[in-house]
Amino acid sequence: MQRATLLFVLVVSAPLLSGEGRSLWKGINPAELPRLTAFLNRFTSLGFCQVPRGGLSEEEMVRFGLLYNYRFHRERYDMCKGRRCSQGELAMDARQVTRALEENFGVDFRLHRSLPNSRPPLFYDGKRYHFPRPPDQQGYGVVVTGGEALSQERLLLRGTLYEEDDPTRTILADLSGVLRLRADGSLSLESLSTVRRPERVRSRNHP
């Protein structure tokens, strides 16, 4: 994992509302913590714990769109209906991948193509992706511990990661992410960075 800033200052105050109805972040309103945590969990639960400022690669974008829909929106994909499903038993319209990336990153992704070397391999027929059922993989949960406003539309969050199936929530890594507040009040991810803690300094989360 790439190195991230570990020191943080917890700033807590109510968000302000402009005359145009747009939230202006001034620290973190405690009431927003569940929403912010749930948003970051969209990425870490799928294993996407490093998102550089310039964004994911094209292959990673497609993989994220497919995995996100597979885990959180089962209605967005279909089972293969033919007798033989040599490219995998699942199929998803490319527009759903574009939709997932717009929802989470605020980007209009249209560079759809087959990715035979991806894990799992992804076949694009010009309209839909065909792929095997993704294997179970280790996901990570997030505990948001603090943050600060970088501007009227950008928020820096800091927190910790733990294995999703760990009841003790032992801290594995420190996390920092930059989120953008959009005009409709929704969030998009600009970047995400984590740095793993040495075992000797790991401790339990206390959300």
Side-chain angles (χ1 to χ4, degrees), residues 5-13 25-30 32-34 36-37 40 142-150 154-161 174-179 192 197 205-207:
T5 303
L6 301 182
L7 182 65
F8 69 85
V9 177
L10 179 60
V11 182
V12 181
S13 62
W25 289 102
K26 299 294 183 182
I28 297 178
N29 182 337
E32 291 290 335
L33 287 177
L36 297 172
T37 299
L40 290 177
V142 175
V143 174
V144 175
T145 56
E148 58 189 278
L150 300 177
R154 298 171 70 238
L155 178 69
L156 171 64
L157 295 180
R158 299 182 177 92
T160 56
L161 288 182
D174 294 278
L175 169 148
S176 63
V178 177
L179 277 59
L192 186 63
R197 287 189 179 185
N205 275 301
H206 296 282

Side-chain angles (χ1 to χ4, degrees), residues 55-64 97 101 109 111-113 115 122 129:
L56 299 172
S57 67
E58 292 179 12
E59 178 177 330
E60 289 173 322
M61 283 284 195
V62 173
R63 285 186 59 251
F64 177 87
V97 175
L101 295 173
F109 183 85
L111 302 175
H112 299 291
R113 58 188 175 87
L115 299 168
L122 309 172
Y129 281 98

Side-chain angles (χ1 to χ4, degrees), residues 91-157:
M92 186 182 300
D93 193 304
R95 290 175 297 182
Q96 298 293 2
V97 175
T98 297
R99 178 181 180 182
L101 295 173
E102 196 285 327
E103 289 174 347
N104 291 283
F105 294 98
V107 298
D108 184 22
F109 183 85
R110 305 281 178 174
L111 302 175
H112 299 291
R113 58 188 175 87
S114 294
L115 299 168
N117 297 320
S118 176
R119 295 184 181 180
L122 309 172
F123 175 73
Y124 179 57
D125 66 6
K127 182 180 179 180
R128 312 178 85 195
Y129 281 98
H130 302 266
F131 55 103
R133 190 179 301 275
D136 293 333
Q137 62 180 24
Q138 179 62 61
Y140 300 92
V142 175
V143 174
V144 175
T145 56
E148 58 189 278
L150 300 177
S151 71
Q152 293 184 354
E153 299 178 344
R154 298 171 70 238
L155 178 69
L156 171 64
L157 295 180

